[in-house]
Amino acid sequence: APALAMGNTVVLKPAEYTSLTALLFADICRQAGLPKGVVNIVTGDGAVGEMIVNADVDKIAFTGSTAVGRHIREATAGTGKALTLELGGKSPILVFDDASLEDAVGAAMLGNFYSSGQICSNDTRVFVSRGLKARFLERLKARTEAIIIGEPLDEGTQFGPLITAEHLDKVMGYVDIGVKEGASL
């Protein structure tokens, strides 16, 4: 939106698993009356993204993994291209003694389970003061056990499927690590 507001054209290359959302956005832009060629959607995998990074463009904005962000930074170094990187997105939640316990648990639930945890600001770590730890974990466990798992298009669903089998395997690998380190399911 800021690029468009300043009179620029935009090329958007979504993650290969989220192309339909971007194509819907393009249709909304068309319906809103934006001229052809102002918003352009290019779909594909990382190789397509690399072609865009190497193209004659003035600015690149990337949201995603730190490894890919580092690669983009290296590829654009010395080119004069403006670059914005939003990487990692694994910010911790800090819960101090004076926190509202219900608000803190709510934030942890939202930060970990919203969009099945498949957003760029997933809060994978929660640091809780020792004085609140037991009460926090009790409430978090109760709220987690009550999550409604189901079909993503059902309005009652609070946690849907992961986007790919590979992503599920990665998550289950983290679960396995947690169990090996002493966590219980």
Side-chain angles (χ1 to χ4, degrees):
L4 294 173
M6 296 304 297
N8 296 290
T9 59
V10 173
V11 175
L12 171 64
K13 192 260 180 253
E16 60 259 36
Y17 301 116
T18 61
S19 297
L20 291 178
T21 305
L23 294 171
L24 178 59
F25 174 69
D27 191 50
I28 291 168
C29 291
R30 180 194 56 78
Q31 291 176 38
L34 284 178
K36 287 183 178 184
V38 172
V39 173
N40 305 276
I41 310 296
V42 179
T43 60
D45 62 10
V48 174
E50 185 143 4
M51 285 188 270
I52 294 170
V53 167
N54 293 323
D56 184 18
V57 296
D58 294 326
K59 168 145 176 104
I60 297 168
F62 172 77
T63 300
S65 74
T66 303
V68 174
R70 185 175 294 120
H71 178 75
I72 292 170
R73 174 67 270 180
E74 290 169 358
T76 59
T79 65
K81 293 179 184 179
L83 181 62
T84 300
L85 300 172
E86 182 184 341
L87 309 175
K90 304 301 182 196
S91 305
I93 295 174
L94 306 175
V95 184
F96 296 104
D97 288 327
D98 61 346
S100 160
L101 202 52
E102 290 307 313
D103 288 346
V105 169
M109 293 295 295
L110 182 66
N112 280 284
F113 296 110
Y114 180 73
S115 291
S116 300
Q118 299 176 112
I119 56 175
C120 61
S121 60
N122 188 23
D123 302 312
T124 57
R125 299 170 289 156
V126 181
F127 296 98
V128 182
S129 70
R130 286 186 181 97
L132 290 178
K133 181 181 175 183
R135 289 182 296 150
F136 180 89
L137 288 175
E138 178 183 306
R139 287 188 170 119
L140 183 66
K141 181 180 182 209
R143 293 269 306 267
T144 301
E145 289 173 340
I147 290 175
I148 299 168
I149 299 172
E151 167 65 39
L153 298 177
D154 181 339
E155 289 184 19
T157 295
Q158 296 172 314
F159 193 86
L162 298 178
I163 197 161
T164 64
E166 293 82 11
H167 190 188
L168 176 61
D169 290 343
K170 183 176 183 178
V171 170
M172 293 310 297
Y174 289 130
V175 171
D176 291 342
I177 290 169
V179 169
K180 287 175 185 169
E181 292 180 355
S184 60
L185 303 178

